[in-house]
Amino acid sequence: MARATGPERRLLAIYTGGTIGMRSERGDKPVSRCSESAEAPHSGPPSGCKATPAVPRCSQPGLGRAAGTRHLWEVFTCTRSPGRPASPACPEQRVMYTVLECQPLFDSSDMTITEWVQIAQTIERHYGQYHGFVVIHGTDTMAFAASVLSFMLENLQKTVILTGAQVPIHALWNDGRENLLGALLLAGQYVIPEVCLFFQNQLFRGNRATKVDTRRFAAFCSPHLPPLATVGADVTINRELVRRVRGQGRLVVPSSMERDVGLLRLYPGIPASLVRVFLQPPLKGVVMETFGSGNGPTKPDLLQELRAAAERGLIIVNCTHCLQGAVTSDYGAGTALAGAGTISGSDMTSEAALAKLSYVLGLPGLSLDGRKELLARDLRGEMTPPAVDELRPSLQGSTLGRGVAQLLGLSQEADDVRDALAPSLACAAAHAGDLEALQALAELGSDLSREDFGGQTPLHSAARGGQAGVVTMLLQRGLDVNARDRDGLSPLLLAVRGSCVGSSFLCEDFLQLRRAGATLHRGIRVSLGCCGQLGPACPPRSWRTRGQSYAGEGRRRTCASQDAGFRAGRAHCAPAGPLEHLRVGFVPSRGSSPARGRV
């Protein structure tokens, strides 16, 4: 966490709806707060509602209407300020914001993962234009929204704050003004690289907060983590609680969140038949709220239903419905549930557990055991970390896995050691095709684009080792496909040099790297032969480095030179025809050095 620098900070405020903007004669509904001017209301509000003018607007495609950039306090004065107001806590620093309004506006009770994914994608689109983001959201599902966004915004290095109000901002006595002003000031003046929730002068970690009151202004609390910041006459930041940013990886928003997840609250006497119906496909995961420290009925028929669902691959996360405390194995009733295949949710809120379950189930390329282990780990500060010996037991099966497990167990004081070791371990895991270890390092906060001592990234190592699954994962995380190591070699060249006879990964990996933008150096052409099984545009089945050859069986092989992607990369193929002995290698262009050709 750091104090924001610079004379001016620019924020994007995303207005989704909620009580803060409501005004109605017949039942509150969210109303547009944008107008053509500060004096003229926007035409056509919903029936029975009045729009309260706040800031001018202009049309913009995308999420909704975007208001022009305004000074920090104009939203409260409804007038055009002649100057730029300075922030009270830093007189020389000015906070400017732009309002982006959802169309239509939502009552938060109608919000779903789909809308929260759209908010995350909006932040991703505008990430480079603003220093921070404020999401104005209804309070009923704000904790769910904050939890979902915390998992969706990977490699977040800027402040994202959700806020709203218990009373509409137009009312004489309301909490909307202080909440919005506080969120804007904190997002503008401090770099807190987390998804947070600001309410009643307290800044909570978003995935630790839950709504506890429908009427009081102090509507939210964080049962297991103190506030990250408190606003009063002074702003007090609990710096030791703010998560550190590791590396400089770009913001990543996962392409999918699993929608088929549910929440089941146990109650005394709940019938096994009801549980059986609830756990049926297409449900893929469920958060089960239990009694006390994770206890539930021990009736054999109910435990059998849970066991049968777990054996089908359904993931069941056990969370206590108590406001404070964690799931433990102190009682036989809790041990019985664990024996039926449930996973401990530790001290996560139900909102955080449901969001985490949706996120983990949406991750590609993980085994069922890998997903379970990921759910048991602290990913975004949503739970108190378990003991070191409980972290990812599947990593103990190899020397590399044990090294990653030990890295995970380092204390916060050993962050520098962790950061120094992570790049080498990531490259080793990529070369070995160990997705579990790579995912563990990524969730630890390691930047997978960092180079090891040889100047290679994990993408270099995966390409050289022919690990198609790892290449896919790293490309999805945005690694540079044209990065050069200290010898000037790219992942594409290492893939060719590391290939072997009969290797099938090249067909897939070559196209992946090419589609991701990998290019060939002007001084090099590639001579290649194709298996021909995919037709005229078939990629090469086997490439060899200079001086090696491939003995064929006399089959005809077609040439892939018609493929536009290959032509763009200046590749050329051996002529089509029967080839008893096919030599495939790097052919230097005229005037280039044969020893240092680059792809």
Side-chain angles (χ1 to χ4, degrees):
M1 194 285 301
R3 185 65 181 266
T5 59
E8 185 174 286
R9 302 283 293 177
R10 306 187 71 84
L11 305 177
L12 179 64
I14 303 173
Y15 175 39
T16 68
T19 299
I20 193 170
M22 288 180 174
R23 187 172 184 179
S24 172
E25 288 86 9
R26 297 191 304 274
D28 286 344
K29 295 180 181 178
V31 182
S32 171
R33 296 188 53 80
C34 290
S35 59
E36 292 294 346
S37 69
E39 294 79 26
H42 169 60
S43 60
S47 176
C49 300
K50 294 180 181 178
T52 52
V55 292
R57 70 169 174 84
C58 60
S59 296
Q60 171 177 302
L63 184 67
R65 286 195 302 272
T69 301
R70 310 305 299 157
H71 306 302
L72 181 57
W73 296 326
E74 253 182 85
V75 68
F76 306 115
T77 62
C78 294
T79 62
R80 297 183 184 274
S81 300
R84 298 179 177 178
S87 305
C90 186
E92 301 303 321
Q93 190 177 68
R94 293 172 173 82
V95 178
M96 311 290 289
Y97 69 92
T98 298
V99 177
L100 186 62
E101 181 182 286
C102 288
Q103 290 296 308
L105 294 173
F106 293 95
D107 186 300
S108 69
S109 299
D110 292 325
M111 298 287 273
T112 67
I113 289 180
T114 300
E115 285 73 43
W116 297 324
V117 168
Q118 291 174 356
I119 293 173
Q121 292 171 342
T122 299
I123 293 174
E124 181 183 31
R125 284 196 302 271
H126 297 278
Y127 192 72
Q129 304 169 32
Y130 297 95
H131 297 100
F133 301 85
V134 172
V135 179
I136 305 169
H137 196 286
T139 61
D140 285 351
T141 59
M142 189 184 294
F144 287 97
S147 295
V148 169
L149 291 176
S150 73
F151 289 105
M152 289 204 67
L153 299 174
E154 298 182 12
N155 300 330
L156 181 65
Q157 300 180 37
K158 299 182 180 182
T159 309
V160 176
I161 300 179
L162 282 79
T163 194
Q166 292 282 72
V167 177
I169 201 170
H170 72 85
L172 181 62
W173 188 264
N174 71 84
D175 59 334
R177 171 191 166 94
E178 285 71 22
N179 289 343
L180 184 54
L181 179 59
L184 290 168
L185 285 174
L186 286 171
Q189 292 192 321
Y190 297 91
V191 180
I192 302 175
E194 299 195 34
V195 175
C196 308
L197 190 155
F198 183 79
F199 227 85
Q200 191 63 14
N201 298 321
Q202 291 184 307
L203 184 73
F204 303 111
R205 177 171 293 158
N207 54 37
R208 286 284 194 156
T210 186
K211 187 173 182 180
V212 293
D213 203 295
T214 64
R215 303 301 297 172
R216 291 191 304 133
F217 285 169
F220 290 87
C221 78
S222 177
H224 300 110
L225 188 75
L228 302 181
T230 303
V231 177
D234 299 306
V235 177
T236 303
I237 306 291
N238 292 325
R239 299 174 185 271
E240 69 280 1
L241 298 179
V242 178
R243 290 173 65 84
R244 285 188 55 188
V245 174
R246 294 187 177 91
Q248 297 297 321
R250 69 177 181 86
L251 179 71
V252 176
V253 175
S255 57
S256 63
M257 293 279 284
E258 180 56 59
R259 267 73 167 175
D260 291 326
V261 294
L263 182 64
L264 175 65
R265 184 182 178 101
L266 297 185
Y267 58 86
I270 184 172
S273 58
L274 187 151
V275 174
R276 179 176 63 253
V277 171
F278 186 86
L279 300 180
Q280 293 302 306
L283 195 67
K284 295 183 176 64
V286 61
V287 174
M288 186 170 66
E289 291 188 349
T290 54
F291 315 131
S293 57
N295 305 318
T298 57
K299 297 184 299 182
D301 55 347
L302 189 144
L303 293 176
Q304 178 56 35
E305 295 299 338
L306 296 176
R307 189 176 298 108
E311 291 173 353
R312 292 197 306 267
L314 182 74
I315 295 180
I316 306 173
V317 180
N318 182 1
C319 290
T320 174
H321 64 214
C322 296
L323 186 60
Q324 291 186 314
V327 171
T328 68
S329 56
D330 294 342
Y331 296 91
T335 303
L337 290 182
T342 65
I343 303 168
S344 171
S346 187
D347 59 354
M348 283 191 292
T349 65
S350 296
E351 297 93 333
L354 194 64
K356 185 177 184 179
L357 186 58
S358 176
Y359 167 73
V360 170
L361 287 174
L363 292 175
L366 291 179
S367 65
L368 180 61
D369 288 340
R371 298 184 196 279
K372 289 181 178 180
E373 290 178 6
L374 209 55
L375 285 165
R377 288 190 53 238
D378 175 38
L379 304 182
R380 302 285 194 275
E382 75 282 355
M383 63 190 293
T384 302
V388 172
D389 57 358
E390 298 177 13
L391 290 174
R392 301 184 73 87
S394 69
L395 293 177
Q396 304 299 325
S398 65
T399 302
L400 174 63
R402 288 192 292 272
V404 173
Q406 292 172 5
L407 189 70
L408 293 172
L410 291 179
S411 64
Q412 291 291 331
E413 291 75 13
D415 279 337
D416 292 339
V417 176
R418 193 199 322 263
D419 292 342
L421 295 177
S424 295
L425 278 174
C427 286
H431 189 268
D434 195 334
L435 280 170
E436 294 281 348
L438 272 177
Q439 188 66 43
L441 288 169
E443 294 302 337
L444 177 69
S446 301
D447 183 1
L448 296 185
S449 65
R450 288 183 60 192
E451 300 173 351
D452 67 358
F453 61 90
Q456 292 195 352
T457 68
L459 186 58
H460 286 89
S461 300
R464 184 182 60 202
Q467 303 297 344
V470 175
V471 169
T472 300
M473 177 248 199
L474 294 174
L475 290 178
Q476 289 175 344
R477 298 185 70 88
L479 267 70
D480 183 5
V481 295
N482 290 312
R484 312 281 179 172
D485 63 13
R486 291 182 181 175
D487 294 324
L489 304 179
S490 68
L492 191 61
L493 180 56
L494 289 172
V496 177
R497 287 191 171 185
S499 63
C500 58
V501 174
S503 174
S504 61
F505 88 92
L506 277 172
C507 290
E508 178 182 348
D509 279 18
F510 178 81
L511 291 178
Q512 286 189 77
L513 291 167
R514 292 290 294 127
R515 292 191 190 106
T519 57
L520 300 177
H521 192 269
R522 287 185 177 182
I524 279 295
R525 293 176 296 161
V526 178
S527 178
L528 52 92
C530 317
C531 61
Q533 297 175 357
L534 301 182
C538 178
R541 184 178 70 176
S542 178
W543 291 6
R544 312 305 288 159
T545 53
R546 175 179 301 280
Q548 295 178 323
S549 47
Y550 170 73
E553 295 81 24
R555 295 193 302 263
R556 292 182 60 87
R557 290 168 173 81
T558 59
C559 178
S561 60
Q562 290 92 359
D563 186 288
F566 287 76
R567 292 202 310 272
R570 291 185 60 103
H572 84 235
C573 301
L579 299 175
E580 294 296 333
H581 193 74
L582 177 64
R583 293 181 64 84
V584 184
F586 293 98
V587 183
S589 299
R590 295 175 183 174
S592 66
S593 171
R596 289 298 302 270
R598 297 183 184 181
V599 174

